[in-house]
Amino acid sequence: MKALEENIREAFDGVSMPADLKAKTMAAIAQEASRAEASKAEEVATERPADVSSETAKTPLFKRRSKQKGDTAVARQPFLNRAFGLAVAACVLLAALGFGGFSAYSTETAFVGIDVNPSLELGVNRFDHVVSAQAFNDDGQKVLEEVPLKGKTYDEALEILANDERFAQFVNKDSFFELNIVCDNPDQATSLESKSTTYLAELPCESVCTHATSEVREAAHGAHMGVGRYQAAQTLLDLDQGVTLEECKHMSMRELSNRIIAAGGELPEGIHHGGHGQGYGQGTGQGNTQSDGQGSNQGNGQGTGQGNGQGAGQGNGMGQNNGQGQKAHHDPNTHHN
Amino acid sequence: MLPGTVCVRERSSMRSNQDIEQAIDAYGDAVYRACFLYFKSQPDVEDAFQDTFIKYSLYDGDFKDSEHKKAWLIRVATNVCKDALKASSRKNIELDEEVVENIESKDLSEDQPGSIHTQVIEAMRALTDPPRTPVYLAVYEGYTAPEISEMLDAPVNTVYSWISRGKNQLKEALS
């Protein structure tokens, strides 16, 4: 019996590209080129459909009678003309809407920046579809080459990133993931934030969703950085004069975050702690002491704990009792303490 | 652009037709087989093939040599196929005669009788992925584990495990 490897080689040796596939592929590529050219076309708008009123008011010159040969043709004429005119108008309008609609489809109304170590930005249109994508470093470029996001809905793009093994290698429990939204439309900004935070909550690492203005985005791109990384770099530069912007470009978000904290700075609010991260909590302890009467006291304690499960970690504190009981004095003439 | 920085968009102009045709002539069979590994339906294989070369036509980067280009095309082809399968499973659309069950649950005796080569291909398609792609790249395309590690962005030891596991599963299925 042949070895497995030999059978595999022989099996696939018999598989080759059909003769007509090259031509079909070149045709498909030509189509793609045309589509790309069309996307650059200026918006064509028509005010109104073509005038079709001239044909609609005609009435037959002779009295209608029961259907006889020839009548149909005469009676149909005005209707045909009107139908043809309407069809032309519809085509013109659809073409106008098509160009206008395509322009609206391809226009970004929001930009979502992803900075972990890969640094990339997705351009999202008003329909929450990803219509553009660009990278700001080699890892970001690698992600965009291997993980197709353009053309997907924003939800689909997040789902693809969540399930993609190639992206997952950049997102581990020690990472810091910043997702930044630049969007002038408050409704879309809120919607994107909601979808983004749902995605971030499932990550194993610390993450945060921030917002920025178009001006900050422009400044970040001027420095060839993603918005999240740029903002973190600006924070660190304010705190540590010994760091340069160029150095910050090559730091991971985790490194930037750690250095900000070490320099006495603060990270953005609303950080999600990874599902399996550590949490710090405070606990309260109660202690009971008894004296001659009945007494109770409370102690305040501080505890440290570890978070487990999804979402933010919760600390379980063990309090130490530092209270002292007080003897209760029973006087039938007074209120009880 | 500052040196050392990378800001990549899809290229504003596509690669020349001559470039693309040369790539299809040189690597079309390799890309076709990579797509064939995923789909039983001819239209699906051809769609994935065309999508791969569309991506090639739009790709902005340079290739070190012909082997780099071939590896890039095969990698993109497998990603195109995986994404198509994911998209279809999300939309509950069944690709024609698509086979994605785990090989352990597939009873090959239910297949129509065919040559050993047909059985081998069906068994390969029935593997989960990984180890399907690593086994194919190692056994048919002749890539080493370190090369596959780089192509799939996976640790080398993981690639070795995939190849070993995949071969064992194939032997069981074909015995």
Side-chain angles (χ1 to χ4, degrees):
Chain A
M1 185 177 173
K2 287 182 186 173
L4 171 67
E5 289 84 352
E6 196 176 341
N7 279 326
I8 290 174
R9 282 190 285 270
E10 287 181 2
F12 281 92
D13 275 344
V15 177
S16 61
M17 183 179 76
D20 63 346
L21 187 52
K22 177 179 174 182
K24 285 184 191 177
T25 301
M26 294 307 294
I29 290 172
Q31 235 180 7
E32 177 64 23
S34 297
R35 187 205 67 79
E37 286 299 320
S39 71
K40 297 177 189 175
E42 291 184 7
E43 186 173 1
V44 175
T46 53
E47 293 296 324
R48 58 188 176 86
D51 184 8
V52 295
S53 60
S54 59
E55 299 298 326
T56 58
K58 280 189 178 175
T59 52
L61 293 178
F62 48 88
K63 185 176 179 182
R64 288 185 183 276
R65 57 187 183 277
S66 58
K67 193 171 177 180
Q68 292 180 9
K69 187 177 178 181
D71 281 0
T72 306
V74 174
R76 189 186 300 150
Q77 195 67 23
F79 176 76
L80 276 178
N81 286 340
R82 182 172 58 189
F84 180 75
L86 285 173
V88 168
C91 286
V92 171
L93 192 57
L94 279 173
L97 286 173
F99 274 112
F102 190 86
S103 177
Y105 181 86
S106 61
T107 300
E108 300 107 335
T109 53
F111 297 93
V112 177
I114 292 174
D115 287 283
V116 192
N117 195 50
S119 187
L120 55 102
E121 181 185 79
L122 306 179
V124 180
N125 69 7
R126 68 179 65 185
F127 309 112
D128 282 357
H129 283 227
V130 178
V131 294
S132 68
Q134 60 175 322
F136 298 98
N137 60 11
D138 289 342
D139 283 340
Q141 179 187 358
K142 195 183 286 188
V143 169
L144 291 185
E145 277 178 19
E146 300 178 1
V147 186
L149 300 173
K150 195 174 167 186
K152 311 291 183 189
T153 65
Y154 186 63
D155 284 324
E156 286 174 346
L158 292 181
E159 189 178 344
I160 289 170
L161 286 173
N163 294 314
D164 194 276
E165 292 170 4
R166 293 156 290 186
F167 186 67
Q169 64 175 314
F170 296 111
V171 184
N172 56 56
K173 62 180 177 60
D174 296 321
S175 305
F176 188 93
F177 188 122
E178 178 161 344
L179 188 150
N180 177 273
I181 298 171
V182 174
C183 181
D184 293 332
N185 182 307
D187 291 335
Q188 186 177 23
T190 302
S191 167
L192 289 173
E193 179 178 351
S194 173
K195 293 173 183 180
S196 302
T197 51
T198 301
Y199 163 71
L200 293 176
E202 299 297 319
L203 295 177
C205 61
E206 282 189 323
S207 61
V208 67
C209 180
T210 58
H211 292 262
T213 63
S214 300
E215 289 73 27
V216 171
R217 177 174 174 267
E218 278 181 29
H221 288 196
H224 302 286
M225 297 172 77
V227 174
R229 190 184 301 273
Y230 176 78
Q231 290 189 127
Q234 292 298 319
T235 302
L236 182 58
L237 289 171
D238 289 341
L239 295 165
D240 186 346
Q241 307 301 319
V243 178
T244 66
L245 186 63
E246 192 62 29
E247 287 171 341
C248 290
K249 279 185 191 176
H250 301 288
M251 294 182 193
S252 66
M253 289 301 291
R254 168 52 65 196
E255 211 175 332
L256 279 166
S257 304
N258 289 348
R259 292 191 66 163
I260 288 171
I261 293 174
E266 292 181 354
L267 299 180
E269 291 183 352
I271 290 179
H272 299 263
H273 295 282
H276 298 285
Q278 288 191 340
Y280 293 92
Q282 287 190 341
T284 58
Q286 286 189 343
N288 290 310
T289 64
Q290 289 186 345
S291 60
D292 295 340
Q294 286 187 340
S296 65
N297 61 35
Q298 289 186 338
N300 294 314
Q302 288 188 343
T304 61
Q306 288 190 344
N308 292 308
Q310 295 185 351
Q314 294 181 341
N316 299 310
M318 297 292 291
Q320 289 185 344
N321 183 2
N322 296 317
Q324 290 185 341
Q326 293 182 341
K327 184 184 295 186
H329 178 70
H330 294 277
D331 183 345
N333 300 311
T334 61
H335 293 290
H336 287 284
N337 291 325
Chain B
M1 182 179 289
L2 293 176
T5 59
V6 175
C7 184
V8 177
R9 282 186 183 267
E10 288 185 345
R11 53 193 298 141
S12 55
S13 60
M14 301 173 86
R15 290 179 179 268
S16 69
N17 280 355
Q18 185 183 18
D19 181 338
I20 300 167
E21 288 189 17
Q22 284 176 352
I24 295 176
D25 288 338
Y27 312 112
D29 283 342
V31 171
Y32 187 81
R33 281 189 287 263
C35 300
F36 189 83
L37 179 64
Y38 283 87
F39 302 116
K40 200 171 179 178
S41 156
Q42 184 67 10
D44 292 331
V45 176
E46 294 193 2
D47 282 348
F49 180 94
Q50 290 174 17
D51 282 352
T52 300
F53 280 100
I54 287 174
K55 288 182 183 298
Y56 173 77
S57 71
L58 294 169
Y59 179 57
D60 191 54
D62 297 318
F63 299 101
K64 288 183 286 190
D65 50 35
S66 60
E67 284 305 312
H68 181 206
K69 186 182 288 189
K70 180 185 175 186
W72 187 93
L73 282 166
I74 291 175
R75 189 175 59 188
V76 169
T78 56
N79 291 341
V80 164
C81 295
K82 286 180 191 178
D83 292 332
L85 289 174
K86 277 186 194 172
S88 72
S89 65
R90 265 204 305 277
K91 296 178 184 175
N92 286 325
I93 295 171
E94 291 182 359
L95 295 176
D96 293 340
E97 300 176 67
E98 170 192 340
V99 177
V100 291
E101 297 93 347
N102 186 294
I103 191 168
E104 292 165 4
S105 64
K106 182 172 172 61
D107 184 358
L108 285 173
S109 65
E110 294 174 358
D111 286 342
Q112 292 181 354
S115 68
I116 181 63
H117 296 158
T118 303
Q119 292 178 38
V120 165
I121 290 176
E122 288 303 316
M124 289 281 287
R125 285 182 179 150
L127 289 175
T128 56
D129 198 12
R132 185 193 315 173
T133 298
V135 168
Y136 171 77
L137 292 175
V139 174
Y140 188 78
E141 293 292 345
Y143 288 106
T144 64
E147 288 170 334
I148 296 171
S149 161
E150 195 172 325
M151 288 172 75
L152 302 182
D153 287 328
V156 173
N157 287 340
T158 304
V159 172
Y160 280 120
S161 297
W162 285 336
I163 294 171
S164 173
R165 176 160 55 97
K167 285 183 179 179
N168 287 337
Q169 290 176 351
L170 285 171
K171 284 176 185 170
E172 278 185 40
L174 294 169
S175 60

